[in-house]
PDB file of all heavy atoms in Angstrom:
ATOM      1  N   GLU B  12     -10.003  24.118  89.891  1.00 63.00           N
ATOM      2  CA  GLU B  12      -9.519  23.828  91.339  1.00 63.00           C
ATOM      3  C   GLU B  12     -10.425  22.756  91.950  1.00 63.00           C
ATOM      4  O   GLU B  12     -10.101  21.944  92.555  1.00 63.00           O
ATOM      5  CB  GLU B  12      -9.549  25.121  92.050  1.00 63.00           C
ATOM      6  CG  GLU B  12      -8.431  25.990  91.637  1.00 63.00           C
ATOM      7  CD  GLU B  12      -8.481  27.363  92.503  1.00 63.00           C
ATOM      8  OE1 GLU B  12      -9.587  27.613  93.133  1.00 63.00           O
ATOM      9  OE2 GLU B  12      -7.519  28.071  92.417  1.00 63.00           O
ATOM     10  N   PHE B  13     -11.732  22.936  91.620  1.00 71.00           N
ATOM     11  CA  PHE B  13     -12.728  21.949  91.939  1.00 71.00           C
ATOM     12  C   PHE B  13     -13.703  21.748  90.816  1.00 71.00           C
ATOM     13  O   PHE B  13     -13.681  22.580  89.975  1.00 71.00           O
ATOM     14  CB  PHE B  13     -13.542  22.422  93.254  1.00 71.00           C
ATOM     15  CG  PHE B  13     -12.726  22.196  94.535  1.00 71.00           C
ATOM     16  CD1 PHE B  13     -11.814  23.256  94.908  1.00 71.00           C
ATOM     17  CD2 PHE B  13     -12.644  21.237  95.341  1.00 71.00           C
ATOM     18  CE1 PHE B  13     -11.158  23.223  96.155  1.00 71.00           C
ATOM     19  CE2 PHE B  13     -11.938  21.012  96.404  1.00 71.00           C
ATOM     20  CZ  PHE B  13     -11.081  22.101  96.699  1.00 71.00           C
ATOM     21  N   ASP B  14     -14.397  20.646  90.876  1.00 84.00           N
ATOM     22  CA  ASP B  14     -15.412  20.447  89.799  1.00 84.00           C
ATOM     23  C   ASP B  14     -16.794  20.625  90.243  1.00 84.00           C
ATOM     24  O   ASP B  14     -17.308  19.965  91.173  1.00 84.00           O
ATOM     25  CB  ASP B  14     -15.138  19.044  89.210  1.00 84.00           C
ATOM     26  CG  ASP B  14     -13.756  18.839  88.677  1.00 84.00           C
ATOM     27  OD1 ASP B  14     -13.242  19.808  88.092  1.00 84.00           O
ATOM     28  OD2 ASP B  14     -13.158  17.687  88.781  1.00 84.00           O
ATOM     29  N   VAL B  15     -17.423  21.618  89.682  1.00 92.00           N
ATOM     30  CA  VAL B  15     -18.761  21.974  90.183  1.00 92.00           C
ATOM     31  C   VAL B  15     -19.696  21.383  88.999  1.00 92.00           C
ATOM     32  O   VAL B  15     -19.461  21.714  87.827  1.00 92.00           O
ATOM     33  CB  VAL B  15     -18.971  23.626  90.150  1.00 92.00           C
ATOM     34  CG1 VAL B  15     -20.351  24.043  90.522  1.00 92.00           C
ATOM     35  CG2 VAL B  15     -17.966  24.229  91.167  1.00 92.00           C
ATOM     36  N   PRO B  16     -20.679  20.674  89.493  1.00 96.00           N
ATOM     37  CA  PRO B  16     -21.688  20.122  88.479  1.00 96.00           C
ATOM     38  C   PRO B  16     -22.625  21.201  87.946  1.00 96.00           C
ATOM     39  O   PRO B  16     -22.853  22.295  88.493  1.00 96.00           O
ATOM     40  CB  PRO B  16     -22.500  19.169  89.411  1.00 96.00           C
ATOM     41  CG  PRO B  16     -22.279  19.463  90.821  1.00 96.00           C
ATOM     42  CD  PRO B  16     -21.052  20.276  90.859  1.00 96.00           C
ATOM     43  N   SER B  17     -23.076  20.930  86.651  1.00 96.00           N
ATOM     44  CA  SER B  17     -24.116  21.803  86.133  1.00 96.00           C
ATOM     45  C   SER B  17     -25.444  21.467  86.577  1.00 96.00           C
ATOM     46  O   SER B  17     -25.808  20.245  86.790  1.00 96.00           O
ATOM     47  CB  SER B  17     -24.107  21.700  84.605  1.00 96.00           C
ATOM     48  OG  SER B  17     -22.948  22.251  84.028  1.00 96.00           O
ATOM     49  N   VAL B  18     -26.250  22.401  86.774  1.00 98.00           N
ATOM     50  CA  VAL B  18     -27.631  22.236  87.384  1.00 98.00           C
ATOM     51  C   VAL B  18     -28.713  22.995  86.560  1.00 98.00           C
ATOM     52  O   VAL B  18     -28.492  24.252  86.138  1.00 98.00           O
ATOM     53  CB  VAL B  18     -27.625  22.699  88.792  1.00 98.00           C
ATOM     54  CG1 VAL B  18     -29.077  22.647  89.384  1.00 98.00           C
ATOM     55  CG2 VAL B  18     -26.762  22.010  89.773  1.00 98.00           C
ATOM     56  N   HIS B  19     -29.670  22.230  86.034  1.00 98.00           N
ATOM     57  CA  HIS B  19     -30.740  22.923  85.437  1.00 98.00           C
ATOM     58  C   HIS B  19     -32.127  22.396  85.950  1.00 98.00           C
ATOM     59  O   HIS B  19     -32.560  21.281  85.691  1.00 98.00           O
ATOM     60  CB  HIS B  19     -30.735  22.574  83.945  1.00 98.00           C
ATOM     61  CG  HIS B  19     -29.668  23.317  83.119  1.00 98.00           C
ATOM     62  ND1 HIS B  19     -28.407  22.785  82.973  1.00 98.00           N
ATOM     63  CD2 HIS B  19     -29.663  24.500  82.493  1.00 98.00           C
ATOM     64  CE1 HIS B  19     -27.749  23.668  82.225  1.00 98.00           C
ATOM     65  NE2 HIS B  19     -28.454  24.735  81.975  1.00 98.00           N
ATOM     66  N   PHE B  20     -32.651  23.221  86.853  1.00 98.00           N
ATOM     67  CA  PHE B  20     -33.852  23.004  87.553  1.00 98.00           C
ATOM     68  C   PHE B  20     -34.998  23.768  86.987  1.00 98.00           C
ATOM     69  O   PHE B  20     -34.884  25.029  87.037  1.00 98.00           O
ATOM     70  CB  PHE B  20     -33.879  23.051  88.985  1.00 98.00           C
ATOM     71  CG  PHE B  20     -32.917  21.995  89.802  1.00 98.00           C
ATOM     72  CD1 PHE B  20     -32.389  21.120  89.117  1.00 98.00           C
ATOM     73  CD2 PHE B  20     -33.011  22.066  91.168  1.00 98.00           C
ATOM     74  CE1 PHE B  20     -31.570  20.121  89.853  1.00 98.00           C
ATOM     75  CE2 PHE B  20     -32.321  21.171  91.868  1.00 98.00           C
ATOM     76  CZ  PHE B  20     -31.509  20.117  91.240  1.00 98.00           C
ATOM     77  N   ASN B  21     -35.951  23.205  86.307  1.00 98.00           N
ATOM     78  CA  ASN B  21     -36.974  23.933  85.535  1.00 98.00           C
ATOM     79  C   ASN B  21     -38.256  24.001  86.416  1.00 98.00           C
ATOM     80  O   ASN B  21     -38.890  22.984  86.396  1.00 98.00           O
ATOM     81  CB  ASN B  21     -37.131  23.423  84.087  1.00 98.00           C
ATOM     82  CG  ASN B  21     -37.949  24.441  83.383  1.00 98.00           C
ATOM     83  OD1 ASN B  21     -39.037  24.831  83.599  1.00 98.00           O
ATOM     84  ND2 ASN B  21     -37.583  24.591  82.127  1.00 98.00           N
ATOM     85  N   ALA B  22     -38.755  25.097  86.851  1.00 98.00           N
ATOM     86  CA  ALA B  22     -39.980  25.341  87.616  1.00 98.00           C
ATOM     87  C   ALA B  22     -41.114  25.077  86.754  1.00 98.00           C
ATOM     88  O   ALA B  22     -42.126  24.739  87.356  1.00 98.00           O
ATOM     89  CB  ALA B  22     -39.960  26.670  88.368  1.00 98.00           C
ATOM     90  N   GLU B  23     -41.122  25.298  85.396  1.00 97.00           N
ATOM     91  CA  GLU B  23     -42.353  25.172  84.722  1.00 97.00           C
ATOM     92  C   GLU B  23     -42.552  23.674  84.286  1.00 97.00           C
ATOM     93  O   GLU B  23     -43.710  23.124  84.274  1.00 97.00           O
ATOM     94  CB  GLU B  23     -42.150  26.062  83.391  1.00 97.00           C
ATOM     95  CG  GLU B  23     -42.550  27.401  83.580  1.00 97.00           C
ATOM     96  CD  GLU B  23     -42.185  28.237  82.372  1.00 97.00           C
ATOM     97  OE1 GLU B  23     -42.633  27.811  81.325  1.00 97.00           O
ATOM     98  OE2 GLU B  23     -41.748  29.367  82.406  1.00 97.00           O
ATOM     99  N   THR B  24     -41.490  22.994  83.850  1.00 98.00           N
ATOM    100  CA  THR B  24     -41.576  21.605  83.395  1.00 98.00           C
ATOM    101  C   THR B  24     -41.461  20.623  84.527  1.00 98.00           C
ATOM    102  O   THR B  24     -41.883  19.505  84.463  1.00 98.00           O
ATOM    103  CB  THR B  24     -40.614  21.341  82.377  1.00 98.00           C
ATOM    104  OG1 THR B  24     -39.423  21.539  82.855  1.00 98.00           O
ATOM    105  CG2 THR B  24     -40.810  22.303  81.156  1.00 98.00           C
ATOM    106  N   GLY B  25     -40.774  21.081  85.559  1.00 98.00           N
ATOM    107  CA  GLY B  25     -40.439  20.153  86.707  1.00 98.00           C
ATOM    108  C   GLY B  25     -39.447  19.158  86.332  1.00 98.00           C
ATOM    109  O   GLY B  25     -39.193  18.116  87.118  1.00 98.00           O
ATOM    110  N   ILE B  26     -38.629  19.540  85.349  1.00 98.00           N
ATOM    111  CA  ILE B  26     -37.463  18.643  84.858  1.00 98.00           C
ATOM    112  C   ILE B  26     -36.296  19.182  85.584  1.00 98.00           C
ATOM    113  O   ILE B  26     -35.907  20.369  85.339  1.00 98.00           O
ATOM    114  CB  ILE B  26     -37.453  18.521  83.387  1.00 98.00           C
ATOM    115  CG1 ILE B  26     -38.647  17.883  82.720  1.00 98.00           C
ATOM    116  CG2 ILE B  26     -36.130  17.746  82.924  1.00 98.00           C
ATOM    117  CD1 ILE B  26     -38.580  17.949  81.188  1.00 98.00           C
ATOM    118  N   CYS B  27     -35.589  18.338  86.338  1.00 98.00           N
ATOM    119  CA  CYS B  27     -34.383  18.783  87.050  1.00 98.00           C
ATOM    120  C   CYS B  27     -33.140  17.870  86.620  1.00 98.00           C
ATOM    121  O   CYS B  27     -33.389  16.624  86.603  1.00 98.00           O
ATOM    122  CB  CYS B  27     -34.675  18.630  88.534  1.00 98.00           C
ATOM    123  SG  CYS B  27     -36.069  19.508  89.116  1.00 98.00           S
ATOM    124  N   GLU B  28     -32.174  18.579  86.313  1.00 98.00           N
ATOM    125  CA  GLU B  28     -31.040  17.769  85.734  1.00 98.00           C
ATOM    126  C   GLU B  28     -29.685  18.244  86.554  1.00 98.00           C
ATOM    127  O   GLU B  28     -29.456  19.518  86.532  1.00 98.00           O
ATOM    128  CB  GLU B  28     -30.800  17.997  84.290  1.00 98.00           C
ATOM    129  CG  GLU B  28     -29.693  17.186  83.777  1.00 98.00           C
ATOM    130  CD  GLU B  28     -29.509  17.205  82.151  1.00 98.00           C
ATOM    131  OE1 GLU B  28     -30.365  16.813  81.461  1.00 98.00           O
ATOM    132  OE2 GLU B  28     -28.478  17.588  81.807  1.00 98.00           O
ATOM    133  N   ILE B  29     -28.883  17.359  86.892  1.00 98.00           N
ATOM    134  CA  ILE B  29     -27.656  17.601  87.502  1.00 98.00           C
ATOM    135  C   ILE B  29     -26.500  16.815  86.624  1.00 98.00           C
ATOM    136  O   ILE B  29     -26.851  15.604  86.578  1.00 98.00           O
ATOM    137  CB  ILE B  29     -27.576  17.431  88.961  1.00 98.00           C
ATOM    138  CG1 ILE B  29     -26.071  17.700  89.537  1.00 98.00           C
ATOM    139  CG2 ILE B  29     -27.939  16.043  89.462  1.00 98.00           C
ATOM    140  CD1 ILE B  29     -26.044  17.911  90.993  1.00 98.00           C
ATOM    141  N   SER B  30     -25.598  17.369  86.196  1.00 96.00           N
ATOM    142  CA  SER B  30     -24.752  16.726  85.350  1.00 96.00           C
ATOM    143  C   SER B  30     -23.213  17.057  85.601  1.00 96.00           C
ATOM    144  O   SER B  30     -23.005  18.136  86.325  1.00 96.00           O
ATOM    145  CB  SER B  30     -24.892  17.010  83.869  1.00 96.00           C
ATOM    146  OG  SER B  30     -24.839  18.361  83.529  1.00 96.00           O
ATOM    147  N   GLY B  31     -22.216  16.275  85.106  1.00 94.00           N
ATOM    148  CA  GLY B  31     -20.796  16.745  85.246  1.00 94.00           C
ATOM    149  C   GLY B  31     -20.134  16.147  86.498  1.00 94.00           C
ATOM    150  O   GLY B  31     -20.660  14.945  86.933  1.00 94.00           O
ATOM    151  N   GLU B  32     -19.156  16.691  86.994  1.00 93.00           N
ATOM    152  CA  GLU B  32     -18.607  16.119  88.183  1.00 93.00           C
ATOM    153  C   GLU B  32     -18.883  16.947  89.468  1.00 93.00           C
ATOM    154  O   GLU B  32     -19.010  18.177  89.429  1.00 93.00           O
ATOM    155  CB  GLU B  32     -17.091  16.268  87.920  1.00 93.00           C
ATOM    156  CG  GLU B  32     -16.570  15.336  86.872  1.00 93.00           C
ATOM    157  CD  GLU B  32     -15.550  16.124  86.051  1.00 93.00           C
ATOM    158  OE1 GLU B  32     -14.348  16.216  86.580  1.00 93.00           O
ATOM    159  OE2 GLU B  32     -15.703  16.676  85.006  1.00 93.00           O
ATOM    160  N   SER B  33     -18.908  16.156  90.561  1.00 94.00           N
ATOM    161  CA  SER B  33     -19.143  16.824  91.816  1.00 94.00           C
ATOM    162  C   SER B  33     -17.987  16.591  92.744  1.00 94.00           C
ATOM    163  O   SER B  33     -18.011  15.613  93.434  1.00 94.00           O
ATOM    164  CB  SER B  33     -20.552  16.282  92.400  1.00 94.00           C
ATOM    165  OG  SER B  33     -20.837  17.041  93.530  1.00 94.00           O
ATOM    166  N   TYR B  34     -17.215  17.568  92.909  1.00 91.00           N
ATOM    167  CA  TYR B  34     -16.097  17.707  93.854  1.00 91.00           C
ATOM    168  C   TYR B  34     -15.906  18.963  94.323  1.00 91.00           C
ATOM    169  O   TYR B  34     -15.301  19.774  93.446  1.00 91.00           O
ATOM    170  CB  TYR B  34     -14.969  17.000  93.144  1.00 91.00           C
ATOM    171  CG  TYR B  34     -13.550  17.193  93.834  1.00 91.00           C
ATOM    172  CD1 TYR B  34     -13.508  17.060  95.295  1.00 91.00           C
ATOM    173  CD2 TYR B  34     -12.345  17.600  93.149  1.00 91.00           C
ATOM    174  CE1 TYR B  34     -12.371  17.213  95.961  1.00 91.00           C
ATOM    175  CE2 TYR B  34     -11.327  17.782  93.911  1.00 91.00           C
ATOM    176  CZ  TYR B  34     -11.278  17.547  95.210  1.00 91.00           C
ATOM    177  OH  TYR B  34     -10.062  17.794  95.947  1.00 91.00           O
ATOM    178  N   LEU B  35     -16.509  19.474  95.398  1.00 89.00           N
ATOM    179  CA  LEU B  35     -16.609  20.788  95.683  1.00 89.00           C
ATOM    180  C   LEU B  35     -15.803  21.234  96.956  1.00 89.00           C
ATOM    181  O   LEU B  35     -15.642  20.283  97.774  1.00 89.00           O
ATOM    182  CB  LEU B  35     -18.072  21.090  96.008  1.00 89.00           C
ATOM    183  CG  LEU B  35     -19.026  20.792  94.736  1.00 89.00           C
ATOM    184  CD1 LEU B  35     -20.274  20.134  95.178  1.00 89.00           C
ATOM    185  CD2 LEU B  35     -19.288  22.052  94.120  1.00 89.00           C
ATOM    186  N   GLU B  36     -15.522  22.504  97.100  1.00 83.00           N
ATOM    187  CA  GLU B  36     -14.892  23.016  98.357  1.00 83.00           C
ATOM    188  C   GLU B  36     -15.821  23.148  99.408  1.00 83.00           C
ATOM    189  O   GLU B  36     -15.621  22.683 100.540  1.00 83.00           O
ATOM    190  CB  GLU B  36     -14.236  24.356  98.024  1.00 83.00           C
ATOM    191  CG  GLU B  36     -13.313  24.710  99.143  1.00 83.00           C
ATOM    192  CD  GLU B  36     -12.612  26.086  98.779  1.00 83.00           C
ATOM    193  OE1 GLU B  36     -12.992  26.701  97.777  1.00 83.00           O
ATOM    194  OE2 GLU B  36     -11.633  26.277  99.384  1.00 83.00           O
ATOM    195  N   LYS B  37     -17.027  23.513  99.107  1.00 88.00           N
ATOM    196  CA  LYS B  37     -18.085  23.599 100.154  1.00 88.00           C
ATOM    197  C   LYS B  37     -19.296  22.785  99.626  1.00 88.00           C
ATOM    198  O   LYS B  37     -20.308  23.353  99.026  1.00 88.00           O
ATOM    199  CB  LYS B  37     -18.480  25.023 100.422  1.00 88.00           C
ATOM    200  CG  LYS B  37     -17.418  25.777 101.097  1.00 88.00           C
ATOM    201  CD  LYS B  37     -17.566  27.204 101.455  1.00 88.00           C
ATOM    202  CE  LYS B  37     -16.496  27.824 102.160  1.00 88.00           C
ATOM    203  NZ  LYS B  37     -16.643  29.290 102.351  1.00 88.00           N
ATOM    204  N   THR B  38     -19.368  21.485  99.850  1.00 93.00           N
ATOM    205  CA  THR B  38     -20.228  20.590  99.345  1.00 93.00           C
ATOM    206  C   THR B  38     -21.690  20.828  99.880  1.00 93.00           C
ATOM    207  O   THR B  38     -22.706  21.005  99.229  1.00 93.00           O
ATOM    208  CB  THR B  38     -19.886  19.093  99.663  1.00 93.00           C
ATOM    209  OG1 THR B  38     -18.552  19.031  99.475  1.00 93.00           O
ATOM    210  CG2 THR B  38     -20.687  18.207  98.873  1.00 93.00           C
ATOM    211  N   ALA B  39     -21.797  20.932 101.261  1.00 95.00           N
ATOM    212  CA  ALA B  39     -23.100  21.240 101.893  1.00 95.00           C
ATOM    213  C   ALA B  39     -23.811  22.457 101.416  1.00 95.00           C
ATOM    214  O   ALA B  39     -24.921  22.368 101.101  1.00 95.00           O
ATOM    215  CB  ALA B  39     -23.109  21.209 103.352  1.00 95.00           C
ATOM    216  N   GLU B  40     -22.972  23.538 101.353  1.00 95.00           N
ATOM    217  CA  GLU B  40     -23.550  24.835 100.827  1.00 95.00           C
ATOM    218  C   GLU B  40     -24.067  24.821  99.540  1.00 95.00           C
ATOM    219  O   GLU B  40     -25.186  25.268  99.188  1.00 95.00           O
ATOM    220  CB  GLU B  40     -22.341  25.805 100.938  1.00 95.00           C
ATOM    221  CG  GLU B  40     -22.682  27.294 101.064  1.00 95.00           C
ATOM    222  CD  GLU B  40     -21.515  28.137 101.161  1.00 95.00           C
ATOM    223  OE1 GLU B  40     -20.783  28.137 102.192  1.00 95.00           O
ATOM    224  OE2 GLU B  40     -21.155  28.848 100.072  1.00 95.00           O
ATOM    225  N   PHE B  41     -23.353  24.021  98.517  1.00 96.00           N
ATOM    226  CA  PHE B  41     -23.729  23.874  97.178  1.00 96.00           C
ATOM    227  C   PHE B  41     -25.147  23.184  97.102  1.00 96.00           C
ATOM    228  O   PHE B  41     -26.088  23.537  96.479  1.00 96.00           O
ATOM    229  CB  PHE B  41     -22.722  23.220  96.353  1.00 96.00           C
ATOM    230  CG  PHE B  41     -23.088  22.967  94.929  1.00 96.00           C
ATOM    231  CD1 PHE B  41     -22.896  24.045  94.010  1.00 96.00           C
ATOM    232  CD2 PHE B  41     -23.645  21.865  94.573  1.00 96.00           C
ATOM    233  CE1 PHE B  41     -23.180  23.881  92.614  1.00 96.00           C
ATOM    234  CE2 PHE B  41     -24.071  21.729  93.138  1.00 96.00           C
ATOM    235  CZ  PHE B  41     -23.751  22.692  92.097  1.00 96.00           C
ATOM    236  N   TYR B  42     -25.190  21.962  97.782  1.00 98.00           N
ATOM    237  CA  TYR B  42     -26.326  21.137  97.726  1.00 98.00           C
ATOM    238  C   TYR B  42     -27.515  21.704  98.479  1.00 98.00           C
ATOM    239  O   TYR B  42     -28.739  21.469  98.075  1.00 98.00           O
ATOM    240  CB  TYR B  42     -25.938  19.772  98.079  1.00 98.00           C
ATOM    241  CG  TYR B  42     -25.327  19.040  96.952  1.00 98.00           C
ATOM    242  CD1 TYR B  42     -23.982  18.862  96.761  1.00 98.00           C
ATOM    243  CD2 TYR B  42     -26.160  18.337  96.012  1.00 98.00           C
ATOM    244  CE1 TYR B  42     -23.450  18.256  95.778  1.00 98.00           C
ATOM    245  CE2 TYR B  42     -25.577  17.690  94.919  1.00 98.00           C
ATOM    246  CZ  TYR B  42     -24.177  17.605  94.796  1.00 98.00           C
ATOM    247  OH  TYR B  42     -23.648  17.015  93.734  1.00 98.00           O
ATOM    248  N   ASP B  43     -27.283  22.604  99.506  1.00 97.00           N
ATOM    249  CA  ASP B  43     -28.388  23.182 100.188  1.00 97.00           C
ATOM    250  C   ASP B  43     -29.259  24.074  99.265  1.00 97.00           C
ATOM    251  O   ASP B  43     -30.483  24.160  99.334  1.00 97.00           O
ATOM    252  CB  ASP B  43     -27.803  24.130 101.437  1.00 97.00           C
ATOM    253  CG  ASP B  43     -27.620  23.218 102.638  1.00 97.00           C
ATOM    254  OD1 ASP B  43     -28.178  22.117 102.658  1.00 97.00           O
ATOM    255  OD2 ASP B  43     -27.086  23.744 103.519  1.00 97.00           O
ATOM    256  N   ARG B  44     -28.563  24.735  98.351  1.00 98.00           N
ATOM    257  CA  ARG B  44     -29.283  25.453  97.285  1.00 98.00           C
ATOM    258  C   ARG B  44     -30.278  24.658  96.440  1.00 98.00           C
ATOM    259  O   ARG B  44     -31.428  25.006  96.161  1.00 98.00           O
ATOM    260  CB  ARG B  44     -28.371  26.227  96.324  1.00 98.00           C
ATOM    261  CG  ARG B  44     -27.798  27.514  96.727  1.00 98.00           C
ATOM    262  CD  ARG B  44     -26.853  28.122  95.701  1.00 98.00           C
ATOM    263  NE  ARG B  44     -27.598  28.695  94.575  1.00 98.00           N
ATOM    264  CZ  ARG B  44     -26.944  29.129  93.471  1.00 98.00           C
ATOM    265  NH1 ARG B  44     -25.560  28.952  93.230  1.00 98.00           N
ATOM    266  NH2 ARG B  44     -27.697  29.582  92.450  1.00 98.00           N
ATOM    267  N   LEU B  45     -29.781  23.479  96.103  1.00 98.00           N
ATOM    268  CA  LEU B  45     -30.619  22.533  95.323  1.00 98.00           C
ATOM    269  C   LEU B  45     -31.672  22.091  96.235  1.00 98.00           C
ATOM    270  O   LEU B  45     -32.964  21.923  95.667  1.00 98.00           O
ATOM    271  CB  LEU B  45     -29.738  21.337  94.839  1.00 98.00           C
ATOM    272  CG  LEU B  45     -28.909  21.669  93.571  1.00 98.00           C
ATOM    273  CD1 LEU B  45     -28.092  22.816  93.655  1.00 98.00           C
ATOM    274  CD2 LEU B  45     -28.107  20.404  93.246  1.00 98.00           C
TER     275      LEU B  45
END
Side-chain angles (χ1 to χ4, degrees):
Chain B
E12 288 176 347
F13 285 89
D14 294 331
V15 180
S17 289
V18 175
H19 286 88
F20 286 6
N21 190 313
E23 277 175 42
T24 61
I26 297 173
C27 302
E28 181 175 300
I29 179 165
S30 60
E32 298 142 72
S33 181
Y34 166 46
L35 303 134
E36 193 172 15
K37 292 180 177 173
T38 316
E40 199 177 291
F41 180 87
Y42 279 94
D43 274 350
R44 273 182 77 189
L45 276 54

